[in-house]
Amino acid sequence: MGEVQAFHSDQTTTTTPVGEHADSLSTVLDLVRSGIARTRPEIGRHAGLGRTVVTQRVTQLTVSGLLEEGALGPSSGGRAPRELRFRARAGVILAAELGATSISVGVTDLAGVVLAEHTETADIAAGPETVLSRVEEVFDDLLPRVRAELGSPELPVWGVGVGLPGPVEFATGRPSAPPIMPGWDGYPVRDRFARRYDTPVWVDNEVNTMALGELRAGSARGQRDILYVKIGTGIGAGLISNGTLHRGSQGCAGDIGHAATSEEDDVVCRCGNTGCLEAYAGGAALARDGLVAAKEGRSRFLADVLATTGTVTAADVSRAAQSGDRTSVELLTRAGRLVGTLLATLVSFFNPALVIIGGGVSGAGDLLLAAVRETVYRRSLPLATRELRITRSALSDRAGLVGAAFMAIDELFAPERLARWVDDGSPAGRPALVDVPLRTAVL
Ligand SMILES: [Zn+2]
């Protein structure tokens, strides 16, 4: 049942009856919602649980409104077993990914399928009041539309998941000294949404939600050890180890943008140090170097862009490279080589099966990805790269939004929370705001 464990494999397992109960409840639900098992006998086989336990757990989950009996399966002589289905439309999840320069806001079902979404430009530096008010407006616009479309005017919100472009203390849902988010430090993002929607809320760094999105619905499905690298304005990584997000003791695991490179340390990074990776290879660095190249007459393409638009962006550099502009090709190749050099170390250290490159800069062409690949394969140990795949994000812009939804879904159905919820006899279709410690706190 390898894939099932991927949902909650980080949960502390205990040998107490309470722990076993929580685990078997969660296992049964996971088997059905992942599509691995559709009948009681199949659940029993995959979970290694006896018939009585399976029946009890299925009954509990059905009474709680999480499972339902489907139509009878095809008969093969005797009485066909009843098909069980996860009630993915019993409620919805509100998900938001807040980037440095845009917000993506959506409503998903409990299987992470996006039912409605909206993306617009936004400046995270405008502060939490402005940005979060806008996110709430969009939620309040999308939610009635989804309810109307599903013909369910009272369809409840079961949870909220939010990704932010900076470090987040996962246990409290507050940003922690985020460098590009003035006014956000310590802001109670989780509490604000929890009050407004009267539902559990989880907040995390957007790179983590992107990694989770790829794991659950993107190119990392079925994998256990993944490195997700976002090359946007800045650079960050999300680490999935043994099927679970590794957030680290302070929640800032994967903050690789400020790792030292071997470049001459003549560029001061926004963090105050010199020689940081993102100060040479991030989107802001590409835009800066592209602008200099335009002004110095080293790129005809970028000089034209500068004359027309008054500035040069990372996207302009990518476009210039794709059209064969030599300076831009060099800039992107250098960025890819620098990212690849650090990744080679991480690959040797962590031995992932898959490295996913995402973020705005990565989407612009193959040059950067090719340079990353070439460097990683050249510099890593042969054993670490024998089965290694390095690929572009499959979900692209959507990874963060989908991942934010799955963060909430995974937490809602985590064993301890699920057991408390089911045992409390909360009315079907509405999870109680049970006071279960968050998983990082449990661990
Ligand atoms: Zn730095």
Side-chain angles (χ1 to χ4, degrees), residues 382-438:
L383 186 59
T385 53
R386 197 163 65 190
E387 309 268 327
L388 176 70
R389 285 193 301 130
I390 302 175
T391 177
R392 203 194 308 262
S393 163
L395 294 172
S396 187
D397 298 347
R398 244 185 172 185
L401 183 73
V402 170
F406 272 106
M407 168 173 63
I409 294 165
D410 285 0
E411 293 288 344
L412 275 174
F413 300 140
E416 295 284 320
R417 183 176 293 272
L418 181 65
R420 287 274 292 277
W421 165 11
V422 167
D423 289 350
D424 281 358
S426 307
R430 182 76 178 82
L433 261 167
V434 287
D435 182 26
V436 174
L438 291 164

Side-chain angles (χ1 to χ4, degrees), residues 26-373:
S26 176
T27 301
V28 171
L29 180 63
D30 287 352
L31 280 168
V32 179
R33 73 187 179 100
S34 64
I36 292 173
R38 293 183 307 161
T39 63
R40 288 173 179 78
E42 282 177 11
I43 292 171
R45 267 202 306 282
H46 284 285
L49 295 170
R51 241 173 80 182
T52 313
V53 177
V54 170
T55 301
Q56 281 171 357
R57 300 295 173 265
V58 167
T59 303
Q60 286 178 300
L61 291 165
T62 308
V63 169
S64 306
L66 291 168
L67 296 184
E68 63 186 357
E69 301 268 9
L72 292 172
S75 176
S76 58
R79 194 170 144 249
R82 300 259 220 140
E83 192 187 20
L84 292 163
R85 289 195 203 124
F86 173 53
R87 294 186 65 231
R89 304 272 159 102
V92 290
I93 302 293
L94 304 181
E97 190 220 348
L98 314 188
T101 57
S102 68
I103 55 172
S104 283
V105 182
V107 179
T108 78
D109 68 11
L110 301 176
V113 174
V114 179
L115 303 171
E117 66 186 308
H118 171 81
T119 299
E120 65 183 34
T121 56
D123 183 7
I124 198 78
E129 202 51 55
T130 305
V131 176
L132 297 180
S133 295
R134 180 57 191 150
V135 170
E136 288 165 355
E137 266 177 35
V138 179
F139 278 151
D140 295 347
D141 174 51
L142 296 180
L143 192 53
R145 287 203 260 153
V146 167
R147 285 172 167 156
E149 204 160 295
L150 296 181
S152 179
E154 302 294 321
L155 191 66
V157 176
W158 280 22
V160 180
V162 181
L164 297 177
V168 174
E169 193 182 60
F170 187 69
T172 61
R174 293 167 187 257
S176 177
I180 59 165
M181 300 168 65
W184 289 79
D185 187 22
Y187 187 88
V189 177
R190 184 179 78 185
D191 298 348
R192 176 178 173 136
F193 284 117
R195 258 199 313 278
R196 185 179 176 96
Y197 297 101
D198 188 26
T199 197
V201 179
W202 291 273
V203 186
D204 202 351
N205 182 302
E206 61 163 353
V207 185
N208 283 345
T209 64
M210 287 171 181
L212 196 56
E214 293 289 344
L215 178 71
R216 294 281 180 261
S219 41
R221 281 180 84 162
Q223 298 287 341
R224 320 250 335 140
D225 297 296
I226 302 141
L227 199 51
Y228 177 91
V229 181
K230 182 201 171 199
I231 312 175
T233 307
I235 295 175
L239 192 65
I240 287 165
S241 175
N242 200 21
T244 299
L245 256 180
H246 174 85
R247 293 189 170 92
S249 70
Q250 308 302 321
C252 61
D255 202 352
I256 59 172
H258 305 281
T261 67
S262 55
E263 293 296 282
E264 291 170 35
D265 48 1
D266 54 346
V267 177
V268 179
C269 178
R270 62 181 179 178
C271 74
N273 271 331
T274 54
C276 296
L277 178 65
E278 74 174 44
Y280 292 97
L286 286 172
R288 176 200 64 213
D289 293 346
L291 182 63
V292 171
K295 285 179 174 167
E296 291 180 353
R298 284 184 285 118
S299 163
R300 178 80 169 274
F301 189 105
L302 294 177
D304 288 348
V305 169
L306 178 61
T308 312
T309 66
T311 187
V312 171
T313 66
D316 294 329
V317 176
S318 293
R319 266 199 306 279
Q322 277 168 314
S323 76
D325 178 69
R326 210 176 139 176
T327 300
S328 299
V329 168
E330 280 169 12
L331 287 176
L332 279 174
T333 305
R334 183 180 75 155
R337 187 169 45 78
L338 289 170
V339 171
T341 302
L342 176 62
L343 275 182
T345 303
L346 297 179
V347 162
S348 296
F349 177 75
F350 174 57
N351 188 203
L354 178 67
V355 173
I356 301 172
I357 310 287
V361 173
S362 75
D366 291 328
L367 265 172
L368 183 86
L369 189 64
V372 170
R373 275 201 186 114

